[in-house]
Amino acid sequence: MTKKRWRRLWSLLVRFIFITVFIGLVGVSAYVVYLDGAITRTFEGRRWTVPAQVFAQPLEVYEGLDLSQEAFIFELDRLGYSENTSGESPGTYYIGAKTVVVTLRPFQFPDGHRAAQTLSVRFRGDHLSRLLSAGQSVSVRLEPAVIGSFFPSHGEDRLIIEPENTPRLLTEALIAVEDRNFRSHWGFDIGGILRALMVNVAEGKVRQGGSTLTQQLVKSYFLDNRRTFTRKFRELVMAIILERHFEKEELLNAYINEIFLGQNGRRAIHGFGLGSQFYFRRPLEELSAEEIALMVAIVRGPTYYNPYRYPERAQARRDRVLNTMHAYGLIDDAIVRAALAKPIQLATSRSGGRYYPAFMDLVRRELSRDFDSDDLAVNGYRIFTTLKPHLQDAAQIATLRTLGILERERNLPSKTLEAAVIIRDSQTGDIHAVVGGRTRGSQGFNRALDAHRQVGSLLKPVVALSALESGRYHLASSVNDAPIVLPDFDNWAPLNFDGQFRGPVPLIRALSDSLNVATVRVGTDVGVAKVASRITSLTGKAISHPFPSLFLGALDLTPFEVSELYAAFASGGFRTPGRSVVVVLDEAAATLSRYSIDVKQMFSSDNAAAMTRALQITMQRGTGRSSQFHSTGIAGKTGSSDNYRDSWVAVFDANLLTVVWIGRDNNTPHGLSGSRGALRLWDLLAQELAIQVALVPSLSHALQWAWINYQTGSETLEQCRDAVNVPLPRDVDLPRGSTCERGSDRRRSRLGKWLD
Amino acid sequence: MARLTFLFVFLFLFGCAANAPTPSENQSTNTPRRGSLFEPANTPSADLISNARDMIIAGDIVDAIVLLERALRLDPQNGHTWLVLAEAELRRMGFIRAEQFARKAVLFLSTMDQVQAWRTIANALDGRGDAQAARSIRELHNIR
């Protein structure tokens, strides 16, 4: 080829290269411009999805409260408070010889902010006897426990930490360990890459990464974990763009709130704020040097350095981080020595939502009326609920223990029985605990809300109430417990549980002893439509085509619906809808939605008094008498369905109403009546409750208290056997009894003689 | 005759002093059994009620109701809390809720204090336009 041709070829090649590079540069520039706009817009707007935090009911603490020191410390531990030598910094307590000193954390309650406050607390036995703050007697609220969060479908959960609340030790440790030139580079660090390469080659494994904090932020926020050249190039470009538009401190704060730190089932732990709660159950600002070091250590590989699964590995990395912090002068000799000597200590419960799934389910359903599930999951709402963790824990423990005992006693296959428990305030309707099954933390079928089971004898009080409301019955009214046949209903002939008939019995006994035949007689007389209507008014559940079998509980209700029904009895005749949410606040603590207490009188206080008294007697000497608390003034009713497929009890006092169901998911018989099954669970639970007498409203002038014989309904005296005191119409004319009444006749004649 | 007179005087004085009889068969009084956890014996709800009343006077009804609900959680059987809650609802013309809260208050109040609750109920009924029911309440409970 001639020289001229070579020269022409060379010129063409140079032009080609020039044009290619030019087009490439234009393309890259356009791409960079596009990325610049996209990243900036995204980053300047809402940067993260911030899940809603859900809080339990705060514990109110005051002088005179029945609360032992042990129980108080337990509640502080639940909130992540740690014991130290003074108790003078927020989140700590000190147990002295006679006094507990505790400094409460600041907290934004729905009705105002509570600053950090140091308290001096004294106890006398099981009572809180003295509660002082700055020498003054006070009453305070502990901050409510976080019981869960609603996070988006992609699973990211986080607690946003503002720069002013970020410990300086954390930011400096991150920079020292992950990106020592963070404050001077432009998003990437050539020196860091080379350094990491040398260390990794020397040690024969990957010890250091070359990515800057900015690059890690980009990878976590915008990209994925693919190790490709293209992705790495994009990461580099995006990091430079971020550095160009945002301040270093902004990027650092973003990193602190974004970085992935672990997985808890479906929930991805993002950010050091939530990471601190997840691993230590304490706020970030309360962490010690070794705890901060552990969190920084986890950053490199949350799965590989998972401290729960690989504690030795995590501790080794933590110690390297501590040494780096010391080398950089972030901690002194004494601190690093002490920190290195401490083993890793993590929170024992990694709950946060999975712990109370049945209750969270109720919260979600209630909120779904007013909030979109997406809004709940991304806008950083704060949801305050009515859960009382100590009652929830007690209910869950009682459930698991009782089911195990029952299965062993009755030789049932292990783990075949299930249960549901609802505990609510008798007067306000606040739902304090929901147990959806025997397995704590399970997010499966929520039996408390969704198990529609036949309620059996639990409906008999409604029959009795309907009878009282008709005006033709009172608690001493005679009802014939004798064979009955209903020709209009396929000649249905109900039987009592023992096949026996007792003849004329007072209404109170028919209810208390759960006599089927007497109940059907009363119900038939009152009318099935009336009884059905009453059930509907108390539960909201429509009953189409009611049959007399309704009197004996041929109706499926969920445990929650049963609690709605019995709430009317427990509250003195008021429909008191159950609720789990008190208020929802937005990120700025403004109220979005408030759910107020709501009551509506459904039947007269006289009938409420009569029914509560009747249900007290049911527990004292009727089907509830096997309870060890039967004589404490509680009221309630047991129930079981056909062939003992469902075991129920509803028990209340003036303070709490509890409904318990036990059964099998496949609806096969288990042989447990209400008293042998559900009532035993309640008995175990009740050992953790402060039992009160059930609320019996005062009587109007139309009624008076009278002593009657429980067996016969005749008039009697207090000191006689089988005497029960019940409210009756003033003008009632009771038959005079034979046993024990002779004494009263003699007294009258003496009185008569004295007057003569 | 003297004995009869003495008897009547004695019964009269006794009748004035006695409350309505309450059930007593194996039944504890309304003093709660001391349990192991969290029993509202002497509660600080009195301060909350007092503060709520001040708020109502100042026209801050919503915040007053928030405080009263907190007081109810502390001591749900305090008739005064239910009554003040009824009065707060009355102030903001929540007549249905005012009536119901006042009816609830009746359950827990002494006979003397119940008069105020019945008065609130009558006022709520008036507010709802049910003057006849309000009149009946006033007549039945001797309220002016």
Side-chain angles (χ1 to χ4, degrees), chain A residues 692-703:
Chain A
Q692 295 187 16
V693 175
L695 170 66
V696 180
S698 304
L699 303 183
S700 72
H701 296 299
L703 296 189

Side-chain angles (χ1 to χ4, degrees), chain B residues 30-51:
Chain B
N30 275 333
T31 305
R33 181 175 75 81
R34 302 234 178 258
S36 57
L37 288 172
F38 313 122
E39 183 169 306
N42 300 309
T43 70
S45 58
D47 287 340
L48 294 173
I49 296 170
S50 173
N51 291 341

Side-chain angles (χ1 to χ4, degrees), chain A residues 78-262:
Chain A
R78 189 200 299 278
L79 295 174
Y81 279 58
S82 53
E83 187 178 1
N84 66 7
T85 54
S86 69
E88 289 176 355
S89 48
T92 66
Y93 63 90
Y94 165 70
I95 304 175
K98 290 183 181 179
T99 305
V100 174
V101 176
V102 56
T103 298
L104 301 181
R105 296 185 185 113
F107 188 79
Q108 180 66 45
F109 287 95
D111 55 355
H113 184 260
R114 197 265 317 277
Q117 189 177 11
T118 300
L119 305 173
S120 173
V121 193
R122 282 198 179 190
F123 299 87
R124 187 178 297 160
D126 284 347
H127 288 74
L128 194 155
S129 60
R130 206 90 173 97
L131 181 61
L132 300 175
S133 177
Q136 303 281 332
S137 279
V138 293
S139 60
V140 295
R141 288 177 284 188
L142 301 188
E143 62 268 30
V146 175
I147 59 171
S149 58
F150 292 122
F151 46 89
S153 54
H154 55 60
E156 286 185 17
D157 196 3
R158 55 173 53 81
L159 273 176
I160 298 298
I161 299 290
E162 299 298 338
E164 58 267 24
N165 295 327
T166 306
R168 189 156 180 78
L169 186 59
L170 171 64
T171 54
E172 296 306 319
L174 272 173
I175 292 171
V177 173
E178 294 290 328
D179 186 5
R180 64 187 70 177
N181 293 325
F182 172 72
R183 290 206 161 88
S184 58
H185 64 56
W186 290 354
F188 65 98
D189 183 8
I190 299 285
I193 293 169
L194 290 174
R195 225 174 8 252
L197 191 62
M198 280 165 50
V199 169
N200 294 339
V201 165
E203 300 214 14
K205 52 184 166 181
V206 176
R207 276 288 182 145
Q208 282 188 19
S211 297
T212 62
L213 289 176
T214 318
Q215 283 175 282
Q216 292 179 42
L217 174 62
V218 164
K219 186 172 87 175
S220 178
Y221 196 78
F222 295 103
L223 303 175
D224 52 45
N225 282 330
R226 282 178 301 156
R227 292 174 186 243
T228 63
F229 177 75
T230 314
R231 195 203 63 76
K232 203 67 187 169
F233 176 73
R234 287 179 73 195
E235 177 189 292
L236 179 65
V237 170
M238 291 165 89
I240 295 170
I241 292 171
L242 275 183
E243 289 275 357
R244 185 169 162 268
H245 286 288
F246 298 97
E247 300 292 332
K248 289 287 185 183
E249 295 309 313
E250 275 184 285
L251 295 175
L252 196 53
N253 181 250
Y255 181 94
I256 283 167
N257 284 297
E258 169 58 28
I259 202 70
F260 173 65
L261 288 173

Side-chain angles (χ1 to χ4, degrees), chain A residues 60-81:
Chain A
E60 302 258 10
V61 181
Y62 46 86
E63 292 178 351
L65 177 66
D66 262 7
L67 181 69
S68 67
Q69 179 171 311
E70 185 189 349
F72 182 62
I73 299 300
F74 186 86
E75 289 302 314
L76 293 180
D77 287 342
R78 189 200 299 278
L79 295 174
Y81 279 58

Side-chain angles (χ1 to χ4, degrees), chain A residues 501-519:
Chain A
F501 301 99
R502 288 139 180 87
V505 296
L507 180 64
I508 177 61
R509 185 179 164 198
L511 174 62
S512 176
D513 285 352
S514 209
L515 302 178
N516 291 339
V517 179
T519 301

Side-chain angles (χ1 to χ4, degrees), chain A residues 60 62 66-67 390 427 430 571 579 596-597 599 601 613 621 631 690-693 705 718 724-725, chain B residues 7 21 23-29 33 38-40 42 44 66 69-70 73 77 97 100 103-104:
Chain A
E60 302 258 10
Y62 46 86
D66 262 7
L67 181 69
H390 70 281
Q427 309 308 324
D430 285 354
S571 66
R579 61 175 188 153
S596 298
I597 293 172
V599 297
Q601 190 166 29
R613 185 67 190 124
R621 55 191 325 156
S631 61
I691 301 293
Q692 295 187 16
V693 175
W705 290 99
E718 180 179 357
V724 293
N725 201 7
Chain B
L7 178 65
S24 62
E25 182 207 348
N26 291 329
Q27 187 170 323
S28 53
T29 66
R33 181 175 75 81
F38 313 122
E39 183 169 306
N42 300 309
V66 169
E69 291 201 355
R70 184 182 157 196
R73 286 199 181 84
Q77 299 166 55
R97 289 169 66 81
Q100 294 302 326
R103 289 187 182 277
K104 184 75 177 181

